[in-house]
Amino acid sequence: MNTIFSFVLVLGALIFVHELGHFLFAKLFKVRVLKFSLGFGPRVCGKTFGETEYVLSAFPLGGFVKMYGENPDEQNASAADKAASYCYKPAWQRFCIVFAGPLFNFIFPIILFTAVFFFQGVPVSLDTTQIGEVSESSPA
């Protein structure tokens, strides 16, 4: 049971960091984020703050950030909604939003290990190997 809990906890942290990258860059470029979800399937719990619904779903094997303008039926937007639409952003901004997830997954362990080494220190290798005895007819 401990192994399953640890697996879900570590996978959940990786998914959260990945989706947080997409979310933060979407907000940076003023794209309307409709939903931030950790997990797939039926909704377990959630809360809406502003225009974004934050959801924890039943199957913690992934997640997603749903942005306005991703679906083809949302691409015929009014002039006011075009400013907040993903599909009307320049290609370099869309690339940054998509690339931010893997980038955050790359940066996360660097920050994590830096924090661990800062508080715990760098492990020191101690050579405590001692040879007790060498037999006369042995290969040593």
Side-chain angles (χ1 to χ4, degrees):
M1 190 65 178
N2 189 22
T3 304
I4 294 171
F5 177 74
S6 299
F7 173 75
V8 169
L9 185 69
V10 170
L11 187 63
L14 288 174
I15 292 167
F16 175 75
V17 168
H18 180 89
E19 299 305 330
L20 183 66
H22 296 307
F23 176 80
L24 291 177
F25 270 74
K27 288 292 191 178
L28 176 72
F29 295 128
K30 301 193 182 355
V31 174
R32 185 180 306 145
V33 178
L34 303 174
K35 187 184 276 190
F36 181 95
S37 177
L38 289 178
F40 295 113
R43 173 185 165 155
V44 174
C45 64
K47 185 100 173 139
T48 301
F49 293 104
E51 60 189 17
T52 306
E53 179 184 13
Y54 300 90
V55 177
L56 184 63
S57 297
F59 304 111
L61 299 174
F64 64 92
V65 174
K66 182 179 179 185
M67 294 172 274
Y68 180 74
E70 282 184 309
N71 296 331
D73 52 331
E74 296 171 341
Q75 293 180 4
N76 295 328
S78 65
D81 288 337
K82 284 185 180 181
S85 179
Y86 174 78
C87 68
Y88 287 103
K89 293 296 178 184
W92 70 272
Q93 288 182 355
R94 287 180 286 157
F95 172 79
C96 288
I97 292 169
V98 171
F99 186 69
L103 178 67
F104 272 46
N105 279 133
F106 181 76
I107 293 172
F108 179 60
I110 295 170
I111 293 171
L112 191 65
F113 278 107
T114 301
V116 168
F117 291 153
F118 180 76
F119 291 110
Q120 294 292 322
V122 178
V124 177
S125 176
L126 299 175
D127 187 14
T128 58
T129 305
Q130 293 181 355
I131 299 173
E133 171 182 328
V134 176
S135 301
E136 286 201 28
S137 61
S138 70

